[in-house]
Amino acid sequence: MKEKSGPPAPVPSPVPDASTPRGVGRQLFTLGRDPLPPMKRPRWLARLPHTLVGYLAVFFGFMTSAQLQDLYDVHDPSMVVLSLFTGFSIGAAMFRPVAAWWLGLVTSGFIAWTIHDGVGPGQTWPWTPIGPFAFAPLVLLVALRVPPKVTAAVIGVSVACTGAAEMFFKPGHSQSSVIGALLVLGFAGLLGYALRATRLARSQLVAQETLTEEERARRTLLEERSRIARELHDVVAHHMSVISIQAQVAPYLVENPSEELKENLAGIRENALEALTELRRVLGVLRSEQPDDPAGAHHPQPTLAELDGLVDNVRGAGLEVTTEVAGIRRALTPGVELTAYRIVQEALSNCLRHAPGSRVEVGIAYGPRELHLCVANSAPTRQAPPSPGAGHGLLGMRERAGMLGGELAAGPRPDGGYEVSAVLPTDPPGGSSHETKKDV
């Protein structure tokens, strides 16, 4: 049994390309909805443009009515209808600018036809004195929403209609209004083009800044992951070397070892050496990408046992640092030791850069299954100098904690300082809960 489906969703028609004359012509007859966007800043003035357009609609509707009565002696109901249509076209331009422009152009034509027989010597025709100024908001609102070529076409059609009316229907004693209409409408079009170009440039700048920030964060994340991979490879390579040496020495520690035991130990050593070779090859590739990176130097990776030396260096740089260790201090897995050291190191570096003269407290708590870290500083006593760093140290610390299944939080303190706290599992996912160390 077939399931009945509803009507397909309407597909929005694409905007015609304004780079060709045909595309410009199609946009002149695109009467779709295109609302006037609100101001983004300040927010309490977001609807200010709409309020101004509404005021202009009322003002020019009233002025059109006054001039039709006072200058052209129009007192029949058509005067009220034409005044209402003049104001309505300006208000409608906030939502359908091209359609409102056509409505305003047709309304201006009816006004010219209505006042044709009442034009006195020296009076303007086909525009009333207020006419070009009442029509200018329509051109401005169109120019804010369409490409420059379409704006030029809108102004050209308006001025061409004015010239054609004067050429064929102009009263003999009236005054020309083509030049005045061209100046007023041209200025409105240029103003709209400038405002539209500024808005588009600002939007593109915001989008580019967002993309740049995302790309910078992504690049920093990849660099931090590469650095973590190099450090962890060093740790794994060290343990593989120990396994290889233990497998080589083990037969000499047993009296009369069997051939089967020797073969098994030889196989363990061969596998360890093969794995060590592959690790060194991969580690060499990682290091060759950034040969000048100090993290890639061949030296033992730091642990929490070296924390006192790190704190002494920070004290020598001018910060007052106190440390407190709670719980039973013990050796943890190399990955946890390295991650904890790097998090404390980065947090202290941030204190040096961003909180000069502050007091720093470093807390480490050894729990049964978790290691708690906390680095908190008070408010700085002097202004921090500009820092050339990328500003993504917290991203690297979170990445390190996340790779072990831990958590990291950072944020300002009520006293004006800053605090970084982390919780790392002492038995990370995928690791063994017990680690046996043997001296060879």
Side-chain angles (χ1 to χ4, degrees):
M1 183 176 179
K2 280 191 174 181
E3 185 178 346
K4 293 184 179 180
S5 59
V11 179
S13 57
V15 178
D17 184 13
S19 60
T20 61
R22 183 177 180 180
V24 172
R26 290 181 63 187
Q27 284 212 23
L28 284 178
F29 293 94
T30 302
L31 309 181
R33 181 179 173 84
D34 189 3
L36 181 66
M39 292 178 61
K40 292 185 177 180
R41 295 182 181 177
R43 290 187 176 180
W44 61 279
L45 289 180
R47 294 295 173 181
L48 179 62
H50 304 76
T51 303
L52 292 177
V53 173
Y55 172 79
L56 290 177
V58 175
F59 174 77
F60 284 119
F62 174 78
M63 291 299 298
T64 300
S65 174
Q67 289 196 353
L68 288 178
Q69 294 182 77
D70 299 339
L71 300 182
Y72 299 95
D73 199 26
V74 178
H75 297 282
D76 54 42
S78 63
M79 175 266 299
V80 178
V81 175
L82 294 174
S83 301
L84 290 176
F85 269 92
T86 299
F88 176 76
S89 63
I90 297 175
M94 290 189 291
F95 308 99
R96 299 180 184 271
V98 178
W101 168 71
W102 280 113
L103 178 61
L105 191 63
V106 172
T107 302
S108 300
F110 276 106
I111 291 176
W113 178 71
T114 302
I115 67 175
H116 184 274
D117 296 334
V119 178
Q123 290 183 327
T124 58
W125 191 89
W127 294 99
T128 63
I130 199 66
F133 298 97
F135 196 73
L138 299 175
V139 176
L140 174 63
L141 292 172
V142 169
L144 287 174
R145 260 80 64 79
V146 299
K149 289 184 178 181
V150 181
T151 300
V154 165
I155 298 174
V157 170
S158 304
V159 175
C161 290
T162 303
E166 286 195 1
M167 183 179 298
F168 297 105
F169 305 105
K170 178 184 177 183
H173 48 273
S174 65
Q175 194 175 26
S176 174
S177 57
V178 174
I179 302 300
L182 178 61
L183 293 176
V184 174
L185 301 185
F187 175 78
L190 287 176
L191 179 61
Y193 166 74
L195 294 176
R196 180 177 184 269
T198 302
R199 177 168 55 86
L200 292 178
R202 187 181 295 112
S203 301
Q204 292 176 357
L205 180 60
V206 171
Q208 185 62 38
E209 288 178 349
T210 303
L211 291 176
T212 302
E213 183 64 23
E214 291 177 353
E215 181 62 29
R216 186 183 298 115
R218 189 180 298 111
R219 184 172 62 252
T220 303
L221 181 62
L222 291 177
E223 291 174 356
E224 187 65 26
R225 285 182 175 180
S226 178
R227 179 184 176 188
I228 295 172
R230 291 195 301 271
E231 293 175 346
L232 293 181
H233 271 82
D234 283 349
V235 174
V236 176
H238 167 73
H239 285 278
M240 294 303 297
S241 299
V242 173
I243 292 173
S244 174
I245 295 173
Q246 288 176 335
Q248 183 180 8
V249 174
Y252 300 98
L253 302 178
V254 180
E255 185 177 356
N256 298 323
S258 63
E259 292 298 326
E260 183 178 2
L261 176 61
K262 289 181 180 181
E263 291 178 2
N264 288 334
L265 291 174
I268 292 174
R269 183 172 183 274
E270 289 178 3
N271 290 332
L273 289 176
E274 184 179 350
L276 185 60
T277 302
E278 293 296 327
L279 283 171
R280 284 173 176 168
R281 184 178 294 115
V282 174
L283 183 60
V285 173
L286 290 173
R287 280 182 170 137
S288 65
E289 294 177 356
Q290 295 177 329
D292 298 331
D293 189 354
H298 294 266
H299 59 78
Q301 298 300 334
T303 64
L304 289 177
E306 304 174 35
L307 184 61
D308 293 338
L310 175 63
V311 172
D312 290 338
N313 291 336
V314 176
R315 286 181 183 141
L319 280 186
E320 180 183 346
V321 185
T322 59
T323 60
E324 183 176 351
V325 179
I328 301 175
R329 193 165 187 171
R330 63 187 187 276
L332 305 174
T333 58
V336 176
E337 290 270 358
L338 177 61
T339 297
Y341 182 90
R342 292 302 188 196
I343 289 177
V344 175
Q345 183 184 41
E346 181 63 31
L348 291 176
S349 299
N350 288 341
C351 294
L352 284 172
R353 285 195 297 264
H354 306 298
S358 63
R359 296 187 307 277
V360 184
E361 298 176 357
V362 179
I364 302 177
Y366 289 83
R369 298 182 179 179
E370 294 177 336
L371 177 68
H372 297 261
L373 304 173
C374 181
V375 180
N377 63 273
S378 61
T381 58
R382 56 182 183 271
Q383 186 175 3
S387 176
H392 293 286
L394 290 176
L395 182 64
M397 288 190 283
R398 286 195 177 95
E399 181 69 11
R400 287 181 177 274
M403 288 184 68
L404 295 179
E407 297 179 354
L408 185 138
R413 303 176 68 187
D415 60 355
Y418 203 82
E419 179 177 332
V420 175
S421 59
V423 179
L424 305 178
T426 55
D427 183 19
S432 60
S433 59
H434 300 284
E435 186 173 310
T436 304
K437 294 189 176 181
K438 295 182 180 179
D439 296 331
V440 178

